[in-house]
């Protein structure tokens, strides 16, 4: 038997409107949301309704309140919150395997779909990684390396893959920093250059082969270090 369609309460409707502002990027992560009077006028709701909606989004992990300062956006989507909580309960190696699986598919699709502008940006981003490694700026290298992988996934033009990768990279960043430092070695940088050049040449098989090689190297390092929990 079919069940009757459940109508959303006013609080649920307001929460959904605010969630859409966050997911669209109009309310970016780190931004303080407008003050209560402004939101009440814009949404045409009472203070109690607005506060209940905000509490629901705080519970969902999208917003957080700083005492005496206001309410801030702390995640771009509910999916991001769920993934980050899951990563905190996961083994480092398992998290790395998921990240690399996404990078492998990202490189494959990027080689097929990248634009000329994206090809130029990938090469520039690779050179930023190499420059940071050459001057011994390991923290700088970590930042640039993560940006390189995000740029590759972005060039896949698959919105779901892009969103998943951004959340996985964000949630696992602290746990993989030491491994990313290892990627500054000449061998791993060489494999990254092979991957980027294959994407620029639109050679998907060669790009995936390069990813496979640095995945194997990275996993070997992690296993040798005996990394356990995140």
């Amino acid at each position: 038997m079919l069940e009757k369609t459940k109508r959303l309460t006013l609080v649920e409707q307001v929460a959904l409107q605010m969630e859409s502002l966050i997911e669209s990027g109009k309310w970016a992560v780190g931004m303080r949301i407008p003050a209560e009077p402004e939101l009440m006028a814009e949404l045409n709701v009472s203070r109690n309704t607005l506060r209940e909606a905000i509490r629901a989004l705080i519970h969902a992990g999208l917003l957080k309140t700083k005492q005496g300062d206001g309410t801030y956006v702390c995640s771009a989507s509910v999916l991001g919150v769920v993934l980050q909580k899951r990563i905190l309960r996961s083994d480092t190696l398992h998290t790395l395997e998921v990240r690399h699986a996404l990078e492998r598919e990202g490189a494959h699709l990027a080689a097929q779909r990248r634009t000329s502008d994206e090809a130029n940006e990938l090469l520039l981003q690779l050179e930023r990684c190499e420059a940071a490694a050459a001057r011994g700026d390991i923290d700088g290298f970590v930042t640039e390396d993560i940006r390189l992988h995000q740029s590759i996934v972005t060039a896949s033009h698959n919105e779901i893959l892009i969103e998943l990768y951004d959340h996985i990279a964000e949630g696992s960043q602290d746990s993989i920093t030491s491994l990313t430092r290892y990627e500054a070695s000449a061998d791993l940088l060489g494999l990254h250059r092979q991957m980027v050049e294959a994407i620029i040449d639109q050679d998907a098989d060669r790009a995936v082969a390069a990813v496979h090689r640095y995945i194997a190297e990275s996993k070997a390092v992690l296993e040798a270090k005996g990394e356990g929990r995140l």
Side-chain angles (χ1 to χ4, degrees):
M1 180 181 294
L2 295 176
E3 296 182 359
K4 291 183 178 180
T5 303
K6 179 183 177 182
R7 294 183 178 178
L8 295 177
T9 66
L10 183 56
V11 170
E12 290 171 333
Q13 292 177 47
V14 172
L16 282 174
Q17 288 186 62
M18 296 171 72
E19 185 177 337
S20 70
L21 290 171
I22 294 170
E23 292 187 339
S24 69
K26 187 173 182 180
W27 285 2
V29 174
M31 170 185 167
R32 182 172 62 183
I33 70 172
E36 279 188 355
E38 183 179 342
L39 285 175
M40 288 164 56
E42 184 175 343
L43 298 170
N44 192 28
V45 294
S46 69
R47 187 182 302 275
N48 286 340
T49 296
L50 177 63
R51 287 183 173 178
E52 285 187 44
I54 290 174
R55 277 196 292 270
L57 293 180
I58 290 173
H59 180 72
L62 295 178
L63 297 177
K64 64 179 177 182
T65 298
K66 296 182 180 180
Q67 192 67 32
D69 189 20
T71 301
Y72 289 78
V73 179
C74 57
S75 183
S77 72
V78 174
L79 174 62
V81 175
V82 172
L83 284 174
Q84 289 171 33
K85 287 181 179 179
R86 183 65 185 87
I87 287 170
L88 289 173
R89 304 197 308 272
S90 301
D91 182 270
T92 306
L93 181 59
H94 290 170
T95 302
L96 179 69
E97 288 171 342
V98 171
R99 176 194 157 196
H100 279 162
L102 297 177
E103 288 176 9
R104 183 169 55 239
E105 185 61 19
H108 182 267
L109 293 176
Q112 297 175 323
R113 301 174 179 176
R114 60 87 180 150
T115 65
S116 296
D117 287 343
E118 287 168 339
N120 292 333
E121 178 55 35
L122 287 178
L123 188 56
L124 288 172
Q125 188 58 46
L126 174 65
E127 290 171 351
R128 294 184 190 109
C129 290
E130 293 174 337
R135 64 176 179 266
D137 180 6
I138 300 302
D139 289 336
F141 172 80
V142 169
T143 299
E144 299 299 348
D145 181 69
I146 291 172
R147 287 175 181 168
L148 173 63
H149 290 296
Q150 288 177 319
S151 296
I152 291 170
V153 174
T154 296
S156 75
H157 296 272
N158 182 311
E159 293 184 2
I160 298 175
L161 180 61
I162 293 167
E163 184 176 1
L164 280 172
Y165 186 77
D166 283 346
H167 291 315
I168 291 291
E170 180 182 356
S172 61
Q173 184 169 343
D174 290 342
S175 68
I176 63 176
T177 293
S178 61
L179 183 63
T180 305
R181 291 170 187 266
Y182 168 73
E183 291 180 1
S185 69
D187 289 344
L188 268 291
L189 272 174
L191 289 173
H192 279 59
R193 175 164 282 278
Q194 290 177 31
M195 173 181 60
V196 170
E197 289 178 346
I199 291 171
I200 291 172
D201 292 341
Q202 296 191 299
D203 188 334
D205 290 340
R206 186 153 53 91
V208 169
V211 176
H212 273 300
R213 286 195 292 273
Y214 81 68
I215 286 175
E217 291 283 345
S218 298
K219 288 178 67 175
V221 170
L222 191 61
E223 289 168 345
K225 287 164 61 70
E227 296 267 344
R229 303 294 299 175
L230 290 179

